[in-house]
Amino acid sequence: MTASPAAPSASLDPEHLAAGILAGNRATLARAITLVESRKREHRDVARALLTRLMPHTGKAHRVGITGVPGVGKSTTIDTLGSNLTAAGHRVAVLAVDPSSTRTGGSILGDKTRMAQLAVDPRAYIRPSPSAGTLGGVAAKTRETMLLCEAAGFDVILVETVGIGQSETTVAEMVDFFLVLMLPGAGDELQGIKKGVLEIADLIAVNKADGDGAIRARSAASDYRSALHILSPRSPTWSPPVVTISGLANEGLSEMWAQVELHRSKMQATGEWASRRASQQVAWMWDMLQQRLMEALTREPARAARIKALEADVREGRVPASAAVEDIAGLMGL
């Protein structure tokens, strides 16, 4: 008697996973996110099949990126803002991308302890993801995770960046709205802030505008407004406003979120919302292709060793970079 082929494990069955996600099962959602973050080929195949099944159920959430320098109060602000939103009937997913060690790939996944209210809120879901050395400190699978959360019924996705390197630009290119948190004391802050961050901001919020910090926050906000006046906004429809808030005291957050919603209505009215989303999808495709090509380039041990040797030659000045590129391209038959 011939044994029948084993049925796929429920944890690796795209149909079973999709059903659980659409039903709002949080454990299934967590397993699916772990699956899309995996680098194993069999997991990648399942993740692709799963996302294909879920695509018709995605795209309805409001995707908001939030960044700021360390110490600006991102986690506290997100915790309070997210709680306000769930109290208003929203379901909120927070994708918090943690700094990872460039040597070990490890990270301190402490966002659930820093967001005490949301961590126990049944209408919220927090997913800390190590950046693992990806460009800009952004988790390689953040886009896929957003889609999974949308399919699970979360209508607001908050993506917290590490606030260093190029993570701001990377996240701004995958969300609908990009919020930059600043500290009071703009005189010092403006000296060190990258012009690029101001150029991609949809709103600047000066945090910690409570108590003794209120006056300094208002002064900083005035300085930021002046700085924004000399920059060209990235959309003809929207000029980034500057507001003062206190994430800790829950002051100004309702007004800030009203600006986020106003931005959405204006962008949808002009068609820019849909256009930006479409462009992001194409950019996502090319990003994934580049990742796959780099993986393919170094997967074969002998080829990886040759590339390492060429890298050393270029570093030591024995071979020009252009010649090394030609050699590497030849390894791939290009």
Side-chain angles (χ1 to χ4, degrees):
M1 182 175 178
T2 304
S4 59
S9 165
S11 62
L12 292 178
D13 179 7
E15 197 167 329
H16 177 85
L17 289 168
I21 289 170
L22 293 174
N25 186 295
R26 298 164 77 92
T28 303
L29 174 61
R31 284 199 301 273
I33 294 174
T34 299
L35 195 68
V36 302
E37 289 178 344
S38 173
R39 296 183 180 182
K40 292 183 179 180
R41 183 181 293 274
E42 62 270 27
H43 291 173
R44 180 184 291 159
D45 292 340
V46 175
R48 183 168 58 248
L50 173 62
L51 287 168
T52 299
R53 281 174 167 79
L54 293 176
M55 282 302 290
H57 306 279
T58 66
K60 298 181 178 65
H62 202 158
R63 305 166 182 172
V64 178
I66 302 178
T67 193
V69 297
V72 76
K74 289 192 298 290
S75 294
T76 299
T77 300
I78 292 171
D79 193 31
T80 307
L81 173 63
S83 297
N84 291 350
L85 292 172
T86 58
H90 293 283
R91 295 188 66 208
V92 179
V94 179
L95 309 182
V97 183
D98 279 287
S100 292
S101 166
T102 55
R103 286 191 305 108
T104 66
S107 66
I108 305 171
L109 302 179
D111 295 278
K112 289 192 176 183
T113 59
R114 296 198 299 270
M115 301 177 191
Q117 297 178 81
L118 286 182
V120 296
D121 191 327
R123 298 185 64 83
Y125 180 77
I126 301 174
R127 178 70 183 203
S129 299
S131 60
T134 57
L135 176 61
V138 178
K141 301 298 182 180
T142 300
R143 293 181 178 93
E144 291 94 329
T145 302
M146 284 198 298
L147 296 177
L148 293 174
C149 289
E150 289 178 351
F154 293 95
D155 64 313
V156 175
I157 312 291
L158 304 179
V159 183
E160 177 192 7
T161 82
V162 297
I164 55 176
Q166 293 179 320
S167 60
E168 296 90 353
T169 302
T170 309
V171 168
E173 292 173 350
M174 68 172 73
V175 296
D176 305 311
F177 190 94
F178 194 62
L179 165 63
V180 178
L181 295 179
M182 295 292 191
L183 287 165
D188 295 333
E189 190 99 340
L190 280 171
Q191 295 298 320
I193 191 170
K194 298 188 295 293
K195 177 185 175 185
V197 175
L198 292 180
E199 288 179 327
I200 61 177
D202 291 306
L203 182 146
I204 290 177
V206 182
N207 195 21
K208 304 188 179 183
D210 55 272
D212 295 339
I215 294 175
R216 289 193 301 124
R218 287 196 294 271
S219 175
S222 177
D223 288 342
Y224 288 127
R225 290 188 190 99
S226 298
L228 286 172
H229 280 318
I230 64 175
L231 298 176
S232 299
R234 62 174 178 157
S235 166
T237 305
W238 183 257
S239 295
V242 181
V243 301
T244 58
I245 65 167
S246 170
L248 183 63
N250 198 2
E251 295 176 1
L253 295 184
S254 295
E255 294 79 5
M256 182 184 75
W257 188 254
Q259 291 292 329
V260 178
E261 293 187 321
L262 177 62
H263 171 270
R264 179 174 187 165
S265 64
K266 286 190 171 185
M267 297 290 279
Q268 286 179 332
T270 63
E272 287 182 72
W273 184 275
S275 176
R276 182 180 293 185
R277 282 263 180 115
S279 296
Q280 288 173 348
Q281 288 292 97
V282 174
W284 175 16
M285 179 191 77
W286 284 109
D287 285 348
M288 292 181 71
L289 179 60
Q290 288 174 12
Q291 290 173 23
R292 291 293 294 275
L293 288 173
M294 289 303 297
E295 289 173 10
L297 187 61
T298 57
R299 188 181 299 127
E300 201 271 319
R303 189 161 54 196
R306 176 58 181 155
I307 292 171
K308 271 289 186 186
L310 283 168
E311 188 179 81
D313 286 340
V314 170
R315 181 180 293 111
E316 297 299 324
R318 293 187 292 267
V319 173
S322 57
V325 169
E326 285 299 321
D327 197 330
I328 294 170
L331 294 175
M332 297 192 72
L334 300 178

